């Protein structure tokens, strides 16, 4: 079971969180012309990386904040975590 | 004859307390502190079972967790448990156990005929033999295998025992209480670290219980006892025996199974049977020790052949002689220690050492005691069927290829030692890439992967002095990092006998003309010849060899067999062992009870139960409940002898003719507040929300980004910046998360807060033509006329002093209202409604009537919004705004979603107006068409229409829009039904929706 550092609450076990997928995906702006390809990329196409991956988790049984977690998908190592509005450098 | 093999004095058992127990129906005596195995051996019982595949007689091979044979069925306090190792089961008064794998009895086993007829099941037997003919599988093969195989029978009764889960955090977790574990724990504890020390056996001390060493001028065992006693007094230390750490998981989480009650005749009141600990440790010291490995020779599975360390443990810990004419067969010094121990109790042994000229302190001691030692000698084969009677022995050439003349010597047990295998399971599970250590012919942990360090013999270090030094140092350094304290500890001086190098020899060659079975895996009956077959047939990867031969796949997970298997493969393949590599070590290290894994989450406790504030009223009024997610909802209220069908029909009919009341507390409720609340709703729902006035409700549909309907419900504008959103019962949590996702990540600029208020409000739906009259009586001061409170209107009222919210919304299709009060007043509201409603013939109605009402109105619910449908499919395209953008809108342009023959909701009526159509039935054009019959759609919901008094169903049908009036067949192979049907409009009752507006 992963041990995730919620930037709001501190170290918490994985069973307090729910997974939210790739955090690098950006939703196309509203009311903007979007090509089929762009929309497909947003809704469906994911890289399914092996290695370092920036992903979303929600601290659902805690502060209910969505957070960003930088995790290695192969080893489960967690490098850094970020608040929803934090820029990831 | 009682306990004839128990020595007069000695051992760690309590001779003042005799215990009686039964094995295979026969009563025996043992002592408190015995294991079932030691008590049986004390009584001279060596035959405990039959082997898995060949049903050969099985005795005891080990004395602990590594035991491959002595697996029994245990009976305790009216319960039974399979797969119990007799070597691990502590004796208690009244214990009962039976052999497994033998039918009809352990002494006469029908399966063993396989053995005598030499119908040996070779490697891959199951794969090859049971493949065909296919029809044989169910009738012949499977029943045969079921009867012949298995390690006992699981109880089919409800388990009365209680199991607990515990979460714990510590600085240092120490797995194993041998010398390295004790030293590491002690040093860390002295630095003030929070320490958990776990030992799987009942006694602490590990190898110190059986080794002949001196630490700090006391025996190793006394030293261990002193350390444990001191640790137990320290508030920062938890010391646990009977506790097996069986798994090392991600981020330094380890799981431990504590056997709280297995050593007692019955579990104490309020105590669990087992406790599962989830431990998050900052640092982990793995001091799991090592397991002696066997040398492979002919008939090496005969009862009486056992590990030399086990023989020594039975003697030193339990005071039991496993034989009075022992033969020791060794390739290292450990065998001598066992021989010396026997000699101390007046038993003469013959030691066969495969080495030519070994020299060490231990060997010197054995020589000085006059023990008969034969160098360059091996056991070729054990003789005897149910028990070792003699051994064929021979000298062996230096290259270990040629045997000398075979002699037969009498013996009653063969104690074998092929050196030691570090227990590296936990280290390997942590992700540590193990490495092969040539000097010990075994794998040891490599570079630490998580925060784990392996110490002592688990790390391939067999010198006690070195082990203690490193362990004290490691415990001290790791704890210092955490506690910043540094209490120096004097490392005690150690007296131990030095041993010499072991012989790299693990398998005795077959003598000419003999075809003895030489077993590698004792629990799964895998012999040398099986591995040879696998390699001959082209299996190369060790993982494939494992699966083909089942080597190392039994419940002991190859603790005694893996390395010898690897040696064999490496020899045949002409590769070095590290090139062959070992199979993956997976948790659990030993079998764990399913009960312990499940913990308290059984039966009613398997999920939380949520009840509405009106629950007790429903109970008192004969409600029959149904699970709705985690909620309990009244399905119907039984009157007299009514069944579900009759009751729900009556309740639905009463709504259509008079007035009914339904508990709708379970609906999800979300408060949406803030200046941008309307903007959020406008983006979340498919329809327009910017112009909804205060005091008005609106029905909305929300999509996922892929265009699929996520949920529906009404949202009401309570005040300028305050909206009250409702969701379906099932989707409440998902919708809240969905809103939070967009607010926190996508549109953080929106000034809106959302919070669940499901628990805050109790809800009652009042539906039926007389509902307005009822409402007026409930709120006499309000104008609830069609003009005062029009359809989709909202007002607040005073229900006899209680603040109430009144919504004019309808799910039943009738004139209807929903009244909400704060939860604590829910029951008051309900009783008031029932009391005032009496004159209007009010009846409560449950979810079954609720379904009937919505189905015949064509209102969609969860069975249509099933994660596969878009608004059009549900005839909701009118609610999809063409002007504004919203979540999922772009996906609605997908070609499949705009296809001419897109699926759509329809109504379905059986032609005979009699036969109810099972939900899930498929709609087909031709009921006689060959399979697979093309499916046009499926029945999503069925009811008995109370309006027309005939069955009516909803279906999602391909090209549904153009199918009205068509005749099709509803087929349910599951219910074996074929029903001719007609497709009609989904709005079966009041298609113009006049009633809700009346
Ligand atoms: Zn948090």
């Amino acid at each position: 079971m992963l041990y995730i550092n919620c930037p709001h609450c501190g170290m918490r076990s994985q069973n307090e969180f729910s997974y939210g997928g790739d955090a690098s995906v950006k939703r196309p702006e509203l009311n903007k012309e979007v090509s089929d390809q762009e929309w497909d990329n947003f809704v469906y196409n994911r890289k399914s990386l092996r290695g370092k991956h920036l992903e979303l988790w929600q601290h659902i049984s805690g502060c209910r904040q969505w957070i960003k977690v930088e995790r290695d998908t192969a080893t489960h190592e967690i490098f850094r975590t970020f608040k929803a509005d934090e820029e990831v450098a | 004859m009682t306990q004839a093999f128990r020595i007069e004095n000695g051992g760690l058992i309590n001779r003042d307390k005799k215990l009686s127990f039964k094995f295979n129906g026969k009563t025996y005596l043992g002592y408190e502190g015995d294991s079932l195995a030691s008590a049986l051996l004390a009584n001279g019982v060596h035959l405990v079972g039959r082997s898995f595949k060949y049903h050969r007689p099985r005795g005891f091979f080990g004395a602990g967790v590594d035991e491959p044979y002595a697996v029994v069925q245990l009976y305790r306090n009216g319960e039974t448990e399979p797969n119990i190792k007799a070597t691990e089961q502590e004796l208690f008064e009244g214990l009962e156990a039976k052999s497994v794998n033998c039918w009809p009895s352990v002494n006469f086993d029908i399966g063993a005929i396989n053995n005598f007829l030499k119908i040996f099941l070779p490697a891959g037997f199951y794969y090859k033999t049971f493949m065909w003919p296919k029809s044989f599988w169910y009738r012949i093969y499977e029943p045969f295998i079921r009867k012949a195989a298995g390690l006992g029978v699981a109880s089919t009764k409800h388990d009365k025992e209680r199991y607990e889960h515990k979460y714990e955090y510590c600085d240092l977790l120490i797995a194993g209480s041998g010398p390295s574990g004790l030293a590491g724990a002690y040093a860390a504890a002295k630095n003030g670290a929070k320490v958990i020390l776990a030992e799987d056996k009942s006694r602490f001390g590990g190898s110190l219980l059986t080794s002949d060493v001196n630490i700090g001028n006391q025996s190793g065992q006394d030293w261990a006892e002193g350390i444990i006693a001191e640790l137990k007094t320290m508030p920062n230390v938890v010391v646990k025996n009977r506790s097996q750490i069986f798994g090392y998981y991600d981020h330094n989480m380890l799981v431990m199974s504590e056997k709280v009650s297995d050593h007692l005749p019955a579990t104490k009141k309020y105590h669990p049977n087992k406790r599962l600990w989830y431990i998050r440790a900052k640092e982990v010291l793995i001091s799991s020790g090592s397991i002696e490995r066997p040398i492979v020779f002919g008939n090496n599975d005969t009862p009486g052949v056992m590990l030399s360390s086990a023989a020594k443990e039975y003697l030193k810990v339990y005071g039991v002689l496993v034989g009075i004419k022992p033969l020791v067969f060794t390739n290292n010094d450990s065998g001598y220690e066992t021989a010396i121990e026997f000699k101390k109790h007046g038993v003469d042994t013959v030691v066969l050492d495969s080495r030519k000229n070994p020299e060490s302190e231990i060997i010197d001691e054995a020589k000085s005691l006059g023990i008969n030692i034969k160098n360059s000698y091996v056991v070729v084969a054990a003789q005897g069927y149910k028990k070792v009677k003699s051994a064929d022995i021979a000298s062996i050439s230096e290259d270990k290829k040629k045997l000398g003349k075979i002699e037969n010597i009498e013996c009653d047990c063969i104690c074998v030692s092929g050196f030691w295998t570090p227990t590296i399971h936990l280290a390997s599970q942590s992700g540590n890439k193990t490495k092969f250590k040539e000097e010990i012919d075994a794998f040891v942990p490599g570079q630490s992967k998580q925060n784990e360090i392996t110490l002592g013999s688990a790390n391939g270090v067999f010198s006690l002095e070195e082990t203690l030094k490193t362990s004290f140092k490691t415990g001290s350094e790791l704890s210092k990092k955490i506690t910043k304290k540094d209490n120096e500890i004097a490392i005690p001086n150690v007296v131990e006998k030095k041993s010499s190098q072991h012989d790299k020899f693990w398998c005795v060659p077959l003598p000419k003309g003999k075809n003895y079975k030489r077993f590698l895996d004792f629990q799964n009956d895998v012999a040398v010849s099986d591995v040879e077959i696998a390699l001959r047939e082209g299996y190369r990867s060790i993982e494939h060899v494992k699966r083909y031969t089942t080597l190392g796949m039994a419940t002991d997970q190859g603790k005694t067999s893996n390395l010898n298997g690897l040696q064999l493969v490496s020899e045949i393949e002409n590769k070095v062992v590290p090139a062959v590599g070992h199979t993956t070590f997976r948790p659990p290290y030993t079998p764990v009870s399913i009960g312990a894994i499940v913990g308290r989450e059984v039966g009613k406790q398997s999920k939380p139960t949520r009840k509405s504030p009106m629950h007790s009223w429903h109970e008192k009024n004969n409600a029959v409940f149904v699970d709705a997610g985690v909620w309990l909802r009244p399905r119907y209220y039984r009157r007299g002898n009514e069944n579900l069908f009759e009751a729900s029909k009556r309740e639905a009919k009463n709504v259509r003719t008079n007035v009914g009341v339904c508990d709708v507390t379970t609906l999800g409720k979300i408060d949406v507040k803030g200046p941008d609340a309307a903007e959020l709703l406008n983006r979340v729902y498919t329809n327009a929300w910017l112009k909804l006035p205060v005091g008005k409700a609106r029905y909305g549909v929300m999509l996922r980004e892929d265009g699929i309907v996520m949920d529906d419900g009404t949202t009401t504008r309570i005040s300028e910046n305050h909206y009250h959103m409702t969701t379906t019962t099932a989707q409440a949590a998902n919708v809240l998360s969905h809103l939070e996702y967009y607010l926190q990540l996508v549109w953080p600029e929106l000034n809106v807060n959302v919070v669940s208020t499901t628990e805050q409000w109790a809800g009652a739906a009042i539906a039926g033509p007389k509902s307005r009259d009822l409402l007026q009586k409930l709120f006499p001061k309000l104008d609830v006329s069609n003009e005062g409170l029009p359809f989709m209107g909202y007002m607040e009222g005073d229900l006899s002093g209680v603040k109430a919210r009144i919504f004019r919304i309808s799910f039943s299709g009738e004139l209807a209202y929903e009244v909400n009060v704060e939860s604590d007043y829910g029951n008051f509201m309900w009783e008031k409604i029932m009391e005032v409603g009496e004159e209007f013939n009010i009846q409560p109605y449950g979810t079954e009537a609720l379904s009937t009402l919505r189905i015949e109105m064509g209102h969609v619910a969860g069975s249509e919004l099933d994660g596969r449908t878009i608004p059009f499919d549900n005839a909701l395209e009118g609610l999809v705004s063409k002007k504004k953008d919203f979540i999922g809108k772009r996906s609605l342009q997908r070609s499949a979603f705009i296809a001419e023959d897109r699926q759509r909701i329809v109504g379905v009526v059986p032609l005979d107006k009699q036969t109810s159509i099972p939900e899930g039935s498929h709609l087909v054009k031709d009921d006689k068409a060959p399979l697979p019959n093309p499916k046009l759609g499926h029945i999503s919901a069925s009811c008995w229409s109370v309006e027309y008094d005939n069955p009516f169903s909803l279906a999602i049908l391909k090209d549904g829009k153009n199918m009205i009036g068509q005749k099709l067949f509803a087929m349910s192979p599951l219910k074996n039904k074929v029903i001719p049907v007609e497709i009609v409009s989904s709005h079966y009752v009041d298609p113009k929706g006049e009633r809700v507006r009346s």
Side-chain angles (χ1 to χ4, degrees), chain A residues 1-4 12-15 18 20 25 27 29-32 34-36 39 42-44 56 58 60 64-68 75-78 84-85, chain B residues 167 169 249-251 253 278 280 449 679 683 705-706 733 736-738 740-742 744-748 883-891 893-894 897:
Chain A
M1 187 159 36
L2 306 185
Y3 206 28
I4 300 170
R12 292 289 193 278
S13 275
Q14 182 186 346
N15 51 2
S18 85
V25 177
R27 191 189 193 283
E29 270 174 53
L30 288 166
N31 301 307
K32 214 186 104 190
V34 186
S35 72
D36 284 354
W39 189 253
F42 162 61
V43 179
Y44 299 105
L56 295 170
Q58 189 183 15
I60 203 139
R64 291 206 64 88
Q65 295 300 302
W66 284 89
I67 62 170
K68 295 173 198 165
T75 65
H76 294 320
E77 188 179 350
I78 291 175
D85 57 359
Chain B
Y167 290 82
Y169 297 81
Y249 299 90
D250 291 312
H251 297 185
M253 195 191 77
Y278 294 87
R280 192 77 74 170
K449 176 72 187 171
E679 180 59 30
R683 297 178 185 187
E705 291 285 17
D706 64 0
L736 184 64
S737 255
H738 180 74
E740 285 165 337
Y741 174 92
Y742 284 94
Q744 292 172 26
L745 290 160
V746 186
W747 304 311
K883 291 182 199 139
K884 57 138 197 177
D885 200 359
F886 53 85
I887 293 169
K889 184 176 191 182
R890 180 65 177 79
S891 288
Q893 295 171 28
R894 281 181 56 188
F897 288 177

Side-chain angles (χ1 to χ4, degrees), chain B residues 782-948:
Chain B
L782 294 182
D783 173 12
V784 298
S785 66
N786 205 15
E787 295 71 38
L789 181 56
F791 182 54
M792 295 309 250
Y794 166 77
M795 55 172 54
E796 282 160 20
D798 180 319
L799 181 69
S800 308
V802 175
K803 198 186 120 197
R805 289 175 170 180
I806 307 156
F807 308 84
R808 187 171 165 192
I809 52 179
S810 175
F811 189 50
S812 58
E814 292 297 325
L815 170 67
Y817 304 87
E818 198 183 305
V819 184
N820 282 5
V821 295
E822 283 172 32
S823 291
D824 288 352
Y825 298 105
N827 206 51
F828 168 79
M829 164 183 69
W830 188 271
E831 285 180 346
K832 195 89 196 157
I833 292 170
M834 288 304 298
E835 179 195 317
V836 175
E838 209 182 329
E839 64 171 290
F840 307 107
N841 294 321
I842 194 167
Q843 287 181 23
Y845 64 102
T847 55
E848 198 69 21
L850 184 74
S851 289
T852 297
L853 296 166
R854 74 97 184 166
I855 292 168
E856 65 177 2
M857 279 290 170
H859 289 171
V860 292
S863 48
E864 289 77 36
L865 311 179
D866 63 355
R868 296 179 293 184
T869 55
I870 58 170
F872 176 87
D873 305 348
N874 295 294
L876 295 170
E877 69 277 11
L879 288 171
V880 177
S881 166
K882 291 202 171 63
K883 291 182 199 139
K884 57 138 197 177
D885 200 359
F886 53 85
I887 293 169
K889 184 176 191 182
R890 180 65 177 79
S891 288
L892 296 179
Q893 295 171 28
R894 281 181 56 188
S895 53
F897 288 177
I898 52 173
E900 269 302 306
D901 59 352
R902 178 73 200 171
Q903 63 176 8
R904 189 174 170 86
I905 189 167
V906 293
V908 181
V909 179
L911 293 186
D912 67 1
K913 302 266 173 118
Q914 284 300 318
T915 315
S916 288
I917 309 167
E919 288 174 355
S921 297
H922 281 192
L923 292 170
V924 300
K925 201 163 193 103
D926 174 7
D927 64 326
K928 304 277 184 324
L931 298 175
N933 196 338
K935 169 198 163 191
L936 301 176
H938 72 275
I939 301 292
S940 59
S942 287
C943 73
W944 189 276
S945 165
V946 289
E947 186 86 8
Y948 297 105

Side-chain angles (χ1 to χ4, degrees), chain A residues 6 8-10 17 59 62-65:
Chain A
C6 172
H8 307 278
C9 310
F17 294 84
H59 195 187
C63 60
R64 291 206 64 88
Q65 295 300 302

Side-chain angles (χ1 to χ4, degrees), chain B residues 7-307:
Chain B
I7 56 172
E8 292 268 307
N9 296 300
L12 306 175
I13 44 166
N14 176 13
R15 290 172 191 260
D16 296 332
K17 194 152 180 210
K18 273 193 182 153
L19 301 173
S20 109
F21 68 101
K22 267 189 190 169
F23 182 66
N24 285 337
K26 210 174 149 194
T27 303
Y28 300 94
L29 287 178
Y31 290 120
E32 187 179 78
D34 258 325
S35 68
L36 173 57
S38 69
L40 284 170
L41 286 167
N43 287 284
V45 178
H46 279 260
L47 181 63
V48 280
R50 293 281 175 164
S51 73
F52 190 60
K53 215 154 73 183
Y54 306 134
H55 289 237
R56 285 165 63 113
R58 285 289 185 250
F60 298 97
F61 194 73
V65 68
D66 49 320
E67 175 61 42
Y69 298 153
V71 173
V72 299
Q73 182 90 21
L74 191 79
Y75 300 84
R76 172 179 173 271
N77 196 25
E79 302 281 333
T80 182
E81 200 176 339
N83 200 13
I84 300 291
K85 290 187 182 90
T87 51
E88 289 194 297
Q89 177 61 49
E90 292 173 58
L91 200 65
F92 55 77
E93 178 60 37
L95 180 149
E96 277 189 68
K98 278 186 189 157
S99 299
V100 297
N101 269 344
C102 47
W103 178 74
S105 82
V106 69
N107 273 302
F108 179 76
D109 180 78
I110 286 177
I113 291 166
N114 286 347
N115 185 20
F116 286 118
L117 294 178
K118 301 284 177 214
I119 314 171
F120 272 80
L121 318 172
F125 174 80
Y126 291 91
Y127 301 113
K128 288 169 186 163
T129 311
F130 297 132
M131 286 294 287
W132 53 269
K134 209 174 161 189
S135 61
F136 269 39
W137 179 253
Y138 294 107
R139 284 191 291 120
I140 295 163
Y141 298 146
E142 203 204 340
F144 167 75
I145 294 172
R146 284 217 182 278
K147 196 161 179 94
L151 295 167
V153 187
S155 171
T156 52
K157 286 197 297 182
H158 172 71
D159 189 352
K160 287 180 296 195
E161 299 280 339
R162 219 175 59 151
Y163 303 87
E164 282 181 359
H165 285 184
K166 185 179 166 76
Y167 290 82
E168 195 52 271
Y169 297 81
C170 67
D171 296 329
L172 267 85
L173 173 63
I174 293 134
S177 73
S180 50
L182 288 175
Y186 190 75
K190 281 286 181 187
N191 276 345
K194 194 174 173 204
V195 170
I196 298 176
L197 174 62
E199 167 59 47
D200 67 320
K201 295 196 168 185
S202 62
R203 295 177 181 86
F204 296 98
S207 63
L208 295 175
L209 294 175
T210 54
S211 57
D212 195 9
V213 294
N214 203 291
I215 306 172
N217 298 322
Q218 40 185 340
S219 76
Q221 195 196 318
D222 287 346
W223 178 81
E225 229 167 77
I227 295 278
I228 285 290
E230 191 175 342
L231 287 174
K232 280 183 175 170
T233 64
M234 299 171 80
N236 52 325
V237 180
V238 174
V239 175
K240 280 281 158 194
N241 60 341
R242 303 187 177 102
S243 297
Q244 176 82 59
I245 296 175
F246 64 78
Y248 199 136
Y249 299 90
D250 291 312
H251 297 185
N252 259 32
M253 195 191 77
L254 293 94
V255 184
M256 172 170 98
S257 172
E258 181 190 2
K259 292 177 180 173
V260 182
S261 311
D262 280 355
H263 62 295
L264 302 169
T267 305
K268 286 187 203 150
K269 204 171 180 188
Y270 307 124
H271 280 223
N273 178 284
K274 289 185 187 68
R275 187 180 286 128
L276 213 64
W277 294 57
Y278 294 87
I279 304 170
R280 192 77 74 170
K282 290 198 181 110
E283 304 285 345
V284 179
L285 294 188
I286 300 171
S287 45
S288 45
S290 50
I291 291 173
E292 200 167 23
R293 60 178 179 260
I295 303 174
V296 179
F297 57 85
N299 298 331
N300 56 338
D301 64 330
T302 312
V305 177
M306 70 168 66
L307 293 171

